């Protein structure tokens, strides 16, 4: 699952890189593969859409210290019931949890639910307990700690208690930032400077969730080889400012009652209004999931699984001869568990596991727009009809991806349904030479409906256990759709989506029709804000998180040109994204549709000329689009413009 919010450039080698840079990149890749292979050894339990490592407190401590000995840092997240609930509604927080190097259950309801569904966690591993036990183990291994956050004075107080208990413990510092520090770059810079100077091995961050997880993501670069733990209110517990619940309450799963009595105003809504109903729902669903196991029947969880995708490398082979999916699967570099991916259409694609997509009924492309884009307005076309290369349009691009899925999944027929709203132009370039069966355009006549409402209609046309693959059509995919499909399949959720680095859905979802039937078919239903939350009440909504985007949007001229540059560079075996600071002097593509008039003396640099347009001799086009009826006169230069019939005369 996803994808830290890091650099958005591809981690690939440029032809001009030095030998030293290439060696360093190879070393980093080897280190990452080693780390992923080791992490794959940790047993995992899936619970309500997140992965929890099934380790004891002692096992978690051993894992952290062993990784430190190997020179590897990481992040520990200790989700409780409230965190689990938040993951359903906050995709960015779900991303933080999914990308953590160690995720352990800090809540007895999670342990109970895991047991009820037949995949038991060994014990509760609380962040407050780890603060003491990990520090004690760190003292024995000559490791240092840093305490960050807490209420004023509690970090220093907790440091004194830990030092008194563990005489050999090295404490590198304690710092409590002022209120509102997260909005002050000066304080953030000071904080990172303190951390760098400390060279601590373990950093405890006590700010409450999700603030502490967001801060760790923001500043962990100051100590990339350290281990970071969010510990909530633990500093106050340790130094005695706040009394922790008795041991019997902790073990009985009612520690929340003790905290509620201490802070009723702050915690009433979290625990009683939201927490109790969610706990009942979680335990009920877990009980139902566990019934097949108690009856001795195999469930999807019993079948062989592939590890979650790391998705942090380009999809074309690198100097190791590895594709992105190779790197996503620990062990694939030595020939094990490899699912071959064909980047170029027309060659054999990966063969997905037999059970993967047997119920896939349609690829649904959302081709309508609430706000018409500048591209469709200027061209008078659907974005799907814009040319992508000399062989076809954006729609052809989708149909080729659909053909790969149908072939890889062994489906005889995969209908492609293109849904547009009442105001958007219909794509006219639908072709059926890819053996997909029916390709049809359907127009929704409702004046104002969200994506959820439209998909609810689609869900009612199929059986409850049927699947549809839904994609926002106004994008050019950066990875093969069959590979993205495999990522979604591996989440094993009734609803699965890919999340971008900012926590927003990518526009690719795998949905069971039973889940879609929960959505109302009248009124406005936004899929992100309302639909996902509604379906998550009864079904697993799983998120496959990625560092890199799965596709580039097609909203404006700049978007379109960027997508074309990326697409054509990769077809030529070049890096997908060039250096943004490099001079843009070499053309990547020039597309001239049939029916356009372009004089042989004209020069086209990363530009598109549509049918019915005219470009005269000596004219120069740079990153521009000439629409039907548009004219670029002799010896004129056009840069970063859309030329239409209406404004052709204005071009100078």
């Amino acid at each position: 699952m996803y994808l830290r919010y890091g650099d958005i450039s591809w981690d690939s080698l440029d032809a001009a890189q030095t030998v030293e840079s290439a060696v360093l990149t190879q070393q980093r890749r080897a280190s990452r593969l080693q780390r992923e292979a080791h992490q794959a050894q940790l047993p995992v339990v899936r619970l309500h859409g997140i992965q929890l490592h099934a380790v004891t407190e002692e096992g978690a401590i051993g894992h952290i210290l062993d990784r430190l000995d190997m020179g590897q840092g990481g992040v520990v997240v200790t989700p409780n019931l409230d965190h689990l609930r938040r993951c359903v509604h906050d995709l960015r927080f779900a991303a933080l949890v999914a990308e953590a190097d160690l995720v352990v259950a800090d809540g007895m309801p999670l342990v109970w639910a895991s047991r009820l569904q037949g995949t038991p966690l060994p014990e509760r591993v609380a962040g407050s307990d780890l603060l003491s036990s990990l520090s004690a183990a760190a003292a024995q291994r000559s490791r240092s700690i840093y305490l960050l956050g807490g209420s004023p004075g509690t970090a220093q107080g907790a440091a004194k208690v830990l030092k008194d208990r563990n005489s050999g413990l090295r404490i590198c510092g304690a710092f409590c930032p002022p209120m509102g520090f997260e909005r002050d770059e000066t304080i953030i810079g000071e904080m990172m400077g303190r951390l760098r100077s400390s060279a601590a091995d373990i950093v405890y961050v006590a700010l409450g969730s999700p603030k502490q997880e967001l801060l760790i993501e923001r500043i962990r670069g100051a100590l990339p080889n350290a281990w970071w733990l969010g510990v909530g209110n633990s500093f106050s517990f340790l130094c005695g400012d706040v009394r922790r619940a008795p041991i019997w309450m902790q073990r009985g799963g009612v520690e929340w009652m003790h905290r509620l009595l201490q802070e009723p105003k702050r915690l009433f809504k979290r625990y009683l209004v939201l927490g109790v109903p969610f706990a009942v729902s979680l335990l009920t669903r877990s009980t139902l999931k566990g019934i097949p196991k108690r009856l001795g029947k195999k469930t999807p969880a019993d079948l062989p699984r592939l590890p979650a995708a790391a998705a942090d490398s380009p999809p074309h082979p690198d100097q190791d001869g590895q594709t992105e999916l190779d790197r996503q699967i620990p062990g694939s570099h030595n020939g094990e568990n490899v699912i071959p991916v064909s980047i170029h259409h027309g060659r054999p694609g990966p063969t997905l596991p037999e059970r993967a997509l047997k119920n896939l009924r349609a690829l649904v492309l959302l081709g309508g727009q609430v706000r018409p884009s500048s591209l469709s307005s200027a061209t008078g076309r659907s974005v799907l009809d814009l040319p992508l290369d000399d062989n076809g349009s954006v729609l052809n691009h989708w149909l080729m991806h659909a053909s790969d899925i149908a072939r890889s999944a062994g489906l005889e027929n995969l209908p492609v349904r293109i849904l547009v709203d009442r105001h958007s132009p219909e794509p006219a370039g639908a072709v059926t030479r890819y053996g997909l069966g029916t390709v049809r355009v359907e127009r929704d006549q409702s004046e104002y409906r969200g994506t959820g409402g439209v998909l609810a209609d689609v869900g009612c046309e199929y059986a409850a256990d049927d699947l549809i693959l839904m994609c926002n059509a106004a994008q050019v995919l950066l990875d093969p759709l069959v590979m993205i499909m495999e990522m979604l399949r591996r989440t094993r959720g009734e609803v699965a989506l890919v999340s971008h680095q900012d926590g927003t859905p990518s526009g690719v979802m795998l949905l069971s029709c039973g889940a879609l039937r929960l959505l109302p078919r009248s009124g406005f239903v936004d899929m992100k804000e309302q639909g996902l939350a509604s379906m998550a009440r009864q079904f697993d909504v799983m998120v496959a998180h990625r560092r890199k985007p799965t596709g580039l949007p097609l909203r404006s001229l700049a978007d379109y040109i960027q997508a074309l540059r990326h697409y054509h560079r990769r077809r030529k075996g070049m890096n997908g994204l060039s250096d943004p600071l490099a001079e843009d002097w070499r053309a990547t593509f020039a597309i001239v549709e049939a029916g356009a008039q372009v004089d042989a003396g004209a020069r086209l640099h990363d530009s598109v000329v549509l049918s019915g347009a005219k470009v005269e001799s000596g004219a120069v086009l740079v990153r521009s689009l000439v629409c039907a009826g548009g004219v670029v006169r002799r010896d004129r230069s056009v840069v970063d413009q859309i030329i239409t019939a209406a404004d052709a005369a204005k071009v100078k």
Side-chain angles (χ1 to χ4, degrees):
M1 310 217 356
Y2 159 45
L3 55 205
R4 209 36 9 248
Y5 313 107
D7 178 19
I8 62 171
S9 63
W10 293 107
D11 300 330
S12 58
L13 297 175
D14 190 89
Q17 277 188 307
T18 63
V19 172
E20 290 81 5
S21 297
V23 171
L24 179 59
T25 301
Q26 296 292 346
Q27 291 174 343
R28 289 173 175 170
R29 180 179 293 115
S31 175
R32 185 183 69 238
L33 288 169
Q34 182 183 29
R35 181 171 65 255
E36 290 175 348
H38 186 90
Q39 288 173 349
Q41 298 172 10
L42 292 175
V44 170
V45 169
R46 288 179 178 266
L47 186 65
H48 203 70
I50 71 169
Q51 288 189 146
L52 296 162
H53 290 107
V55 295
T56 62
E57 183 176 332
E58 181 181 358
I61 292 171
H63 179 80
I64 293 169
L65 296 178
D66 288 347
R67 301 287 67 69
L68 280 172
D69 290 343
M70 295 172 64
Q72 298 172 1
V75 176
V76 181
V77 176
T78 58
N80 56 27
L81 187 70
D82 185 60
H83 297 157
L84 200 65
R85 180 189 60 81
R86 188 182 300 132
C87 284
V88 175
H89 306 281
D90 185 345
L91 293 182
R92 187 177 184 187
F93 181 72
L96 293 170
V97 175
E99 265 216 340
D101 299 88
L102 185 60
V103 184
V104 290
D106 183 358
M108 285 307 298
L110 276 62
V111 176
W112 295 335
S114 71
R115 293 172 181 172
L116 289 171
Q117 72 178 19
T119 56
L121 293 166
E123 65 180 20
R124 177 193 182 197
V125 183
S128 298
D129 294 333
L130 278 175
L131 176 60
S132 297
S133 58
L134 179 57
S135 297
Q140 297 176 3
R141 301 273 282 265
S142 300
R143 293 295 181 179
S144 58
I145 69 170
Y146 193 100
L147 291 85
L148 178 64
S151 302
T154 58
Q156 292 77 9
K160 183 178 183 305
V161 171
L162 291 173
K163 184 66 175 178
D164 291 343
R165 292 179 181 177
N166 310 282
S167 57
L169 181 64
R170 291 190 294 128
I171 299 179
C172 297
F175 178 60
C176 177
M179 291 289 291
F181 73 91
E182 65 273 15
R183 297 184 294 274
D184 191 326
E185 292 298 328
T186 301
I187 298 176
I188 293 291
E190 176 191 353
M191 185 187 306
M192 295 183 72
R194 288 174 180 247
L195 288 164
R196 290 191 190 98
S197 299
S198 74
D201 297 311
I202 300 170
V203 183
Y204 299 111
V205 183
L207 295 171
S209 184
K211 191 173 184 179
Q212 62 193 16
E213 287 82 15
L214 293 170
L215 179 65
I216 289 172
E217 164 54 28
R218 187 175 179 183
I219 68 173
R220 65 173 297 196
L223 291 172
N225 295 324
W227 274 79
W228 299 73
L229 289 79
V231 294
N233 205 31
S234 299
F235 293 174
S236 296
F237 291 151
L238 195 60
C239 68
D241 280 11
V242 176
R243 289 180 55 199
R244 194 175 178 191
I247 296 297
W248 68 267
M249 296 187 77
Q250 297 176 37
R251 293 177 177 172
V254 290
E255 186 175 7
W256 63 273
M257 291 185 180
H258 184 270
R259 293 204 62 196
L260 178 62
L261 292 174
Q262 291 179 311
E263 301 179 86
K265 289 185 179 180
R266 186 174 75 89
L267 299 177
F268 178 83
K269 181 178 180 181
R270 181 194 299 180
Y271 287 162
L272 296 183
V273 177
L274 300 175
V276 171
F278 181 75
V280 172
S281 173
L282 174 65
L283 295 175
T284 301
R285 292 178 60 192
S286 298
T287 300
L288 295 175
K289 280 190 173 183
I291 290 175
K293 282 186 174 290
R294 287 190 285 274
L295 295 176
K297 297 180 179 179
K298 284 191 175 183
T299 67
D302 298 317
L303 298 174
R305 307 187 48 159
L306 296 175
D312 62 348
S313 300
H316 53 278
D318 59 20
Q319 290 187 354
D320 294 336
Q322 288 184 279
T323 64
E324 176 166 353
L325 198 57
D326 294 335
R327 283 184 288 270
Q328 291 173 358
I329 305 173
S332 63
H333 57 286
N334 60 16
E336 300 175 4
N337 295 330
V338 174
I339 297 181
V341 174
S342 169
I343 301 300
H344 301 288
H345 296 295
R347 292 160 53 183
T351 300
L352 300 177
E354 183 178 346
R355 66 171 298 278
L357 300 177
K358 65 178 182 179
N359 290 338
L360 184 63
R361 294 293 176 260
L363 170 63
V364 176
L365 299 177
L366 300 181
Q369 297 170 315
V370 176
R371 294 176 295 275
S373 70
S374 57
L375 281 175
S376 59
S377 297
T379 62
R381 298 184 179 187
S382 166
V383 171
L384 288 170
D385 281 334
L386 292 176
L388 191 60
D389 54 29
D390 293 335
N391 297 319
S393 64
V394 174
L395 178 56
N396 298 147
H397 167 74
W398 282 108
L399 295 180
M400 286 187 289
H401 280 293
S403 179
D404 284 345
I405 287 185
R407 181 173 58 252
S408 301
L411 300 175
E412 294 183 2
N413 181 36
L414 179 62
V416 177
R417 303 176 60 175
I418 305 166
L419 308 184
V420 298
D421 58 45
R422 62 183 301 179
H423 301 295
S424 298
E426 291 186 9
V431 296
T432 58
R433 67 173 181 267
Y434 301 104
L436 296 171
T438 304
V439 178
R440 72 175 188 266
V441 179
E442 305 170 38
R443 183 177 294 280
D444 179 29
Q445 296 296 335
S446 301
E447 179 63 34
Y448 189 59
R449 295 183 73 188
T451 303
V454 174
L455 290 177
D457 290 347
V458 175
C460 291
E461 299 178 24
Y462 302 101
D465 59 349
D466 285 342
L467 300 173
I468 64 168
L469 180 62
M470 183 279 292
C471 301
N472 178 0
Q475 61 176 318
V476 173
L477 293 178
L478 303 183
D479 294 322
L481 186 59
V482 69
M483 191 192 79
I484 300 172
M485 184 73 193
E486 171 63 5
M487 291 173 56
L488 296 174
R489 184 200 66 81
R490 291 205 305 256
T491 67
R492 301 184 186 277
E494 288 91 351
V495 178
L497 62 145
V498 181
S499 174
H500 280 161
Q501 61 181 21
D502 60 358
T504 59
S506 71
V508 180
M509 297 185 189
L510 182 63
L511 304 137
S512 77
C513 294
L516 288 176
R517 291 180 182 183
L518 294 179
L519 304 178
R521 300 180 66 182
S522 60
F524 181 84
V525 182
D526 179 84
M527 194 64 179
K528 175 187 172 184
E529 300 296 335
Q530 299 166 292
L532 292 177
S534 177
M535 291 186 289
R537 296 189 183 100
Q538 296 188 33
F539 294 93
D540 280 340
V541 176
M542 307 291 285
V543 181
H545 301 287
R546 288 176 53 94
R547 295 178 189 271
K548 311 302 180 186
T550 54
L552 296 177
L554 299 175
R555 295 183 294 261
S556 64
L557 174 64
D559 291 339
Y560 182 39
I561 298 299
Q562 181 191 24
L564 288 174
R565 283 175 57 83
H566 191 105
Y567 175 80
H568 285 273
R569 285 177 65 86
R570 288 179 58 193
R571 290 186 66 193
K572 297 175 182 178
M574 304 167 65
N575 295 336
L577 296 175
S578 58
D579 181 356
L581 300 180
E583 293 186 11
D584 184 20
W585 60 271
R586 180 179 297 175
T588 303
F589 66 90
I591 300 176
V592 179
E593 278 192 333
Q597 300 179 43
V598 178
D599 191 274
R603 297 174 58 192
L604 274 61
H605 178 108
D606 292 353
S607 296
V608 179
V609 183
L610 301 181
S611 177
K614 182 178 181 180
V615 181
E616 297 180 348
S617 177
V620 177
L621 297 181
V622 179
R623 299 183 301 273
S624 295
L625 170 66
V626 187
C627 304
V631 179
V632 182
R633 299 298 180 187
R634 180 182 299 271
D635 298 329
R636 302 299 182 183
S637 296
V638 176
V639 180
D640 296 327
Q641 292 186 45
I642 298 178
I643 304 300
T644 65
D647 58 15
K650 301 178 183 178
V651 178
K652 298 180 180 180

